Amino acid sequence: MNLIRVAIRLAKAWPLVVRRAIASWRLLSTVVIGVLMACAIMAGTVIYFDALKELALKNALNQLTEDETNILVKSDRGPTTRTEAANVARVVNLEIDRRAAWLLEDRIFGMKSATYFVTDVGDEAIAGDDNRRAFFFHVPTFYEHITILPGGRVPVDQPIGAPGEPITLEVIAPVEAAEAFGVSLEGQLSTVAYWGDHLPIVRVKAVGLYEKNDPDDQFWHLEERILRASTSGSFTTIPFLLSEETYFDVLGATYKQLDTTYGWLLVVDTDRLNAGNATFARASIEAMRRHLQATLFSYRQITELVDTIEEYDTRLFFSKLPMFIILVLIAVVILYYVVTMSSLLVEQQRSEIVLLRSRGSTSAQVLSVFVLEGATIAVLAVFVAPVLAAIVISFLGYTPAFSDLSGNSRLVVSLSSSAFLMSAVGGVFSFVALLVPAIQASRVTVATHRQESARPGTQPFYQRYYLDVLLLAAGILLFRQLSQQGSVVAVSIFGAVAVDQVLLAVPAVILVASALVLLRLFPLTMRIASRLLSPVLPAGLVIGLWQMARYPTHYARLSLLLILMAGLGIFA
C-alpha cells in the first residue's frame, strides 16, 4: 500500500516535471544528450566488440581453404574384422555426435589396408626391391565421385582363381596409377605382404579403371591425407578399391595380422561459426581429440581450424584491451559532463527551489521532482541508446580502417541483451549523476541560499581532505608497477593469460587525479594572474580574473571538463 501511495504522489508531480522541462528545454537538452551519449557508449562497447569479433573471425576463416577448415580423423586398428571396425566406428561417431555434429555439413568415412609390395605376376620373389606399392581401400560413397571408363565394370564380391593358386581379387583402380604401373583393363598384378602371414600373396585383376568426376572436390582430401598418407613421397602407389564384403570377408579373413586405418573427413560448415560459439567450437574439437587419443590406438586429428580460432581469440583479447580502456575513459568524461550540465541546470532553478522550500515543501518533495525528471531521461536513453549506437557502429564499415575487411559495406551489428544491459548500467550511472546536484540543491533553505549568494562556497570535500592528491599518488604508484610489469596482461605459472584489473584502471585514475589536482590549482592560478596582470590589463579583464578567483566553482567545472577531454585525446 505504501508503494501505491508513493506512485500516486509521483504521478501527481508529473505535470510539474513536464512544465519545468519545457521551461528549461535548452539547458535540459544538453543533459539529455549527455545521458544518451553515456548509455550509447556503454552499449556501444558490447555492440562494437561483437561486430569486431564477427569481422575478425570472418577474415580469419576466409584465409583458410576448405581442406584446412575440415577435420580429418584417423585411427589404426587390427585385426581387420567387422567387429573391430564396428567398435572403432561406434567410439568415433559417438564422440563426433557429442562434440562436433552441430558444426558439420557432411561426414565421410573410409578405410584402407596396410601397404603391400607390388610386382608383376611371377616376380613375387623380388617384391620390395623397387618403390612400387599398393593398398586396398573401401569408401561407401566412392562411386558417387568417380566415373568408370568404358569397358570397365564393378568388381564382384567373391575371389576368383584356380584351386592351388593365390586368390585373385577383382578391383578397380585410377587410370593414371594404372598407366604408371603398365596395367590395362583385365590386367593382373601381385601384392605381397611385408609382414609374416600364412598367405603372403594376393593377386588383383583390374576389371575397371576410373577417373575423378571433380578433382577439386573436398571429398578427395580424405584420399590425399588419410588413404595415401603412408605411401607419399618417393613411392609409386596404386590404390585398389574393394567392396565392403570383399574387404572384410576375403581380405581381412585372409590376412589375420592385417591392420586397417579408419578415417573420417568431417566437412565443417563455417557459416555455423560465429563470434559467440567459436571458442566453444575450438574447445569441443580439442576435447574430442583428447578423449579419442586416450581411447584409440594411434589416433590423429588434423585440422587448421583449431589453431586459427586460437590465434583469433588471442588477437581479439589483446586488441580489445586498449579499446575497452578508451571507451571507459570516454564514458567517465561523459558522465562528468552530465554532472556538470545537471549542476548548471539545478543552479539555474535554485531560486525556484528556494521558493518551494519557503512555501513548506520538504527536501523529499523537491527531490522527487528531480527523481522523476532524471528517471524519465535515463529510461528513455536506455532503450534508445543501443539502437543509436548500432546504427553509428554499422557505418564504420565505410571508413578506411574497416573498408578492406567489410568490403566497403556496413558492418554487421546485432542488438544483444548484453548491449541493453550495458546501456542500463550507463542509465543508472547517469541517473546517479543527475541526482548528485539535485540532492545538494534539495537541502537548500532560504537562509543557506542567501548565505551562498553573499559568500563564495567552501572547498569541495575531496579538496578539504586532499583526496585528489592521494588519488594522484596512488596513480603514480600503479603506473610505476605497470612500467615494471610492462603490460596489464600477466601469464601465470600454468600459462594462463589474465588481465590485472587494478592496472587496467591506471589510465583512468591518473587522468581523473591529474584533472582534480589541476582543478585545485585553478583558483590559486587566477589569484596570482590577477595580481601580476592588474597593472597592465584593462579594468574589465582584471575584474573578470578577480571574479574567477573569488567564485571558481562555475569556471572550475568547465575547466575540469576541458582538462579531461584534452587528457583523453592525448591518451587515445
Side-chain angles (χ1 to χ4, degrees), residues 118-198:
V118 181
T119 68
D120 294 328
V121 176
D123 294 336
E124 291 82 0
I126 61 172
D129 291 349
D130 55 17
N131 66 343
R132 299 198 300 174
R133 300 292 185 268
F135 62 86
F136 299 93
F137 73 98
H138 170 70
V139 178
T141 59
F142 199 79
Y143 286 104
E144 300 174 9
H145 300 274
I146 63 170
T147 298
I148 299 178
L149 298 183
R153 59 179 175 82
V154 177
V156 298
D157 296 335
Q158 300 299 322
I160 60 175
E165 294 183 357
I167 62 173
T168 300
L169 302 179
E170 289 189 354
V171 299
I172 63 172
V175 61
E176 64 274 7
E179 292 175 354
F181 277 77
V183 178
S184 60
L185 202 60
E186 301 296 331
Q188 293 190 20
L189 291 173
S190 292
T191 61
V192 182
Y194 68 87
W195 64 93
D197 218 312
H198 74 284

Side-chain angles (χ1 to χ4, degrees), residues 389-556:
I391 294 174
V392 173
I393 292 172
S394 67
F395 281 102
L396 291 177
Y398 296 110
T399 61
F402 293 96
S403 58
D404 292 338
L405 297 177
S406 64
N408 201 27
S409 61
R410 294 172 59 179
L411 294 181
V412 178
V413 296
S414 59
L415 286 173
S416 62
S417 58
S418 299
F420 283 96
L421 178 61
M422 290 299 294
S423 180
V425 172
V428 171
F429 284 143
S430 299
F431 179 69
V432 173
L434 291 172
L435 286 187
V436 169
I439 292 174
Q440 296 175 348
S442 64
R443 298 173 180 173
V444 174
T445 62
V446 176
T448 56
H449 177 63
R450 290 177 178 176
Q451 180 181 358
E452 291 175 358
S453 300
R455 298 179 182 179
T458 60
Q459 286 184 325
F461 76 95
Y462 64 85
Q463 289 187 355
R464 292 198 301 270
Y465 296 102
Y466 292 91
L467 297 181
D468 51 346
V469 179
L470 181 63
L471 184 63
L472 181 60
I476 294 173
L477 291 176
L478 290 175
F479 181 76
R480 183 172 179 271
Q481 181 180 350
L482 177 61
S483 300
Q484 292 176 347
Q485 183 171 312
S487 173
V488 297
V489 179
V491 180
S492 67
I493 59 175
F494 299 104
V497 178
V499 178
D500 192 328
Q501 303 293 338
V502 176
L503 295 182
L504 191 63
V506 168
V509 171
I510 292 180
L511 180 63
V512 173
S514 301
L516 293 178
V517 170
L518 290 175
L519 194 62
R520 171 186 289 272
L521 300 176
F522 178 78
L524 178 62
T525 303
M526 290 298 100
R527 283 195 295 269
I528 294 175
S530 62
R531 291 178 182 178
L532 293 177
L533 300 177
S534 57
V536 297
L537 290 179
L541 293 179
V542 174
I543 294 174
L545 290 176
W546 288 347
Q547 181 74 7
M548 293 175 66
R550 182 174 175 83
Y551 300 100
T553 304
H554 299 301
Y555 311 103

Side-chain angles (χ1 to χ4, degrees), residues 10 13 16-17 20 346 349-373 435 437-445:
L10 291 177
L16 178 61
V17 173
R20 291 178 67 256
V346 170
Q349 299 168 345
R350 185 178 288 266
S351 299
E352 179 185 344
I353 295 172
V354 172
L355 179 62
L356 291 174
R357 292 299 306 274
S358 66
R359 295 296 184 268
S361 297
T362 63
S363 296
Q365 291 172 334
V366 172
L367 183 61
S368 64
V369 176
F370 291 99
V371 169
L372 279 176
E373 185 178 79
L435 286 187
I439 292 174
Q440 296 175 348
S442 64
R443 298 173 180 173
V444 174
T445 62

